[in-house]
Amino acid sequence: MLKLKPKEIVYLLLYAIPNTVLSFGIVYIINNILAGNERFLKNYMGIVFVSIIVYSYLLNVIFQKKLNKFSFKLLYDNEKHIFSQILKAPLQRLEKLGSQRFFTAVEDLRTFSFLPYTVTHTVNSLLMLVLCLVYMFTLSTLSALIVIALIVLVAGCYFMVMKSMSKQVAQLRGYNENYYKFVDDVMKGFKELKLSFFRRESLMNNFLIPNRNQSMDLDFKINYIFLSINLISQYGLYFVVAVILFILPEMGLLSRADVISYVVIILFISGPINNIINLQQMYTRFMVANARIKKFINDFEIVDDTYNSNSKEKQDFQSLSFKDITFSYHNENEESASFTSGPINFDIQQGETIFIVGGNGSGKSTFINLLTGLYKPTGGSMLMNGEEKADVTEITQSLISAVFTDNHLFSHNYDDYQLENNEEYAALLKTMQLNGVVENDKEESARRRFSKGQSKRMSLIFALLEKKPVLVLDEWAADQDPHFRKYFYEQLIPKLKEEGKTIIAVTHDDAYFHLADRIVKFDYGKIVRDLKTTTKEELTENLWV
Ligand SMILES: Nc1ncnc2c1ncn2[C@@H]1O[C@H](COP(=O)(O)OP(=O)(O)OP(=O)(O)O)[C@@H](O)[C@H]1O
């Protein structure tokens, strides 16, 4: 993710080299004026000095602008990339990795907003350091070598400590990932938490507080080490100054006149050295964030198996078949499957209404996820209109609209229909008995908070507006009042059937089972009954025997 292209390196050098030469020019002039060098005590030197400062300032402004543009592009492009990766990920991957990965990835990306500042200061500081050291060499080779050795010693200690830090910075990120799980629990389980003092206390005392305390201790330790290292670098330089002032002249390695130059240079480069050292913690954070974003992108880097077609072409639907379809759930770190579905053999013809029934955990929703292409089967084949389809999602995207148990009403209209002045929408609001609830045909009126049952009805309206031939409903009627439930089974389904819809509905409402064309019963992930409905009594007899 963090890779510089040759063009960017050229830009960086085009800025950094002249800028450092100019900054060095400033030190060089100061040094020579302090040393009383005749050539520098000219009137025009003041103008040269100010010009260098102004020129260097302008160069920095221009470069900062470019670098800011580059890093913000990097930041925002990656935000978009992460979003599109999530949209491409299979449901199973998302269920396994958890939504908190998304939040920490965005947080990791934000670290890169410090990139322009860090890069500019590092490049300037490094080049400045090199030039000042070269200048020192022109004054006295041996002394320069001693000074370099001392700087290397201080830097060496620093880097050793730094190296051990990246593991701890990564560990800190891990704590934050868990923290987001607790945030998720609070947001989604707020009501359950409100109802139980014990649960709230347990969440706080046994989970959140230990997590935050461990995180705080580690965060403190990391920052304390960074701070200590910065102090080492600062005081280490005073130590170098002490060597220049008291030892090198005594040993006859440096003339008293050159001592001034050396000290001026050391004091001048102490800024860049401290910069380089301070900025190391930013690099450690960049490295960790970069590695984690890479991991995130890898974890979500899958061949996009979503059928990407915007084709409005009406699909001709006659039949859909499962041939020996199998699927398994695996718990983390477990070889054997925790639940296996199939082999499933199933057929549905155009215009049929099928109710999927069975006990809790019998595999109905898993079947719906396979049918809608959200789960990829581990074996078997799917046929549409008698023709085998390699890409299951091709079937689902073009044919099926669905309302899931945990339906969601989007905050905006992402579909290709408009609600305003849409007669079909107005008619559906009436059919769903929502015309008194939804005030008008404006988007805002459709995207507010509804009661659970109303929200399901809105989702069904949106599913019907997609005008796809197959409608899949997972326990849709479970949230409806008895009056509307009766209306749904006895009038709405027959009406949709009359309009040519093929309906597959998961249901527990055995009072209405007889109203389907067929009942498909699941148990332990397998179809154990596939019955044509006749009379209510006959069905009851056949279904439960
Ligand atoms: N994401 C998952 N990971 C692992 N196991 C799962 C997952 N989802 C469901 N299961 C397991 O698979 C089995 C079938 O679950 P499924 O949701 O398909 O049942 P269901 O028939 O729809 O039940 P219900 O009537 O309660 O909604 C259950 O044992 C369940 O615990």
Side-chain angles (χ1 to χ4, degrees), residues 45 49 71 117 155 164 202 282 291 351 362 406 419 449 513 522:
M45 226 1 125
F49 193 75
S71 34
Y117 170 86
S164 67
S202 173
M282 282 319 299
S362 56
D406 50 352
L419 298 184
R449 270 193 70 88
F513 280 180
F522 272 80

Side-chain angles (χ1 to χ4, degrees), residues 343-477:
I344 302 172
N345 286 293
F346 169 83
D347 283 291
I348 184 161
Q349 302 298 318
Q350 192 278 325
E352 264 190 305
T353 296
I354 296 185
F355 287 173
I356 308 292
V357 308
N360 291 132
S362 56
K364 302 182 298 295
S365 296
T366 309
F367 167 72
I368 294 296
N369 283 342
L370 285 164
L371 184 78
T372 46
L374 292 171
Y375 286 168
K376 258 195 169 334
T378 41
S381 52
M382 248 177 151
L383 283 76
M384 186 174 110
N385 302 342
E387 196 185 308
E388 186 167 335
K389 293 278 176 189
D391 187 356
V392 173
T393 48
E394 183 185 337
I395 306 175
T396 59
Q397 302 263 313
S398 51
L399 292 180
I400 300 177
S401 55
V403 182
F404 297 97
T405 337
D406 50 352
N407 73 310
H408 177 75
L409 293 177
F410 289 110
S411 58
H412 292 82
N413 185 355
Y414 305 127
D415 286 286
D416 58 357
Y417 51 73
Q418 297 295 319
L419 298 184
E420 247 180 289
N421 303 321
N422 184 337
E423 284 176 15
E424 208 177 335
Y425 173 57
L428 281 167
L429 281 177
K430 261 194 202 140
T431 308
M432 296 296 168
Q433 300 176 7
L434 284 177
N435 45 334
V437 178
V438 178
E439 290 147 27
N440 51 42
D441 60 1
K442 301 268 183 296
E443 282 291 341
E444 309 84 79
S445 309
R447 305 199 183 267
R448 63 170 175 85
R449 270 193 70 88
F450 290 102
S451 76
K452 194 72 202 139
Q454 289 170 343
S455 144
K456 281 272 175 83
R457 293 190 212 176
M458 285 305 289
S459 287
L460 182 51
I461 292 178
F462 293 143
L464 290 170
L465 285 174
E466 286 184 64
K467 294 195 183 128
K468 289 182 182 170
V470 183
L471 178 66
V472 169
L473 302 170
D474 194 352
E475 296 189 38
W476 186 87

Side-chain angles (χ1 to χ4, degrees), residues 15 56-66:
Y15 151 76
S56 171
Y57 165 77
L58 290 176
L59 197 65
N60 269 293
V61 168
I62 295 166
F63 179 73
Q64 289 283 0
K65 190 176 167 194
K66 268 229 161 306

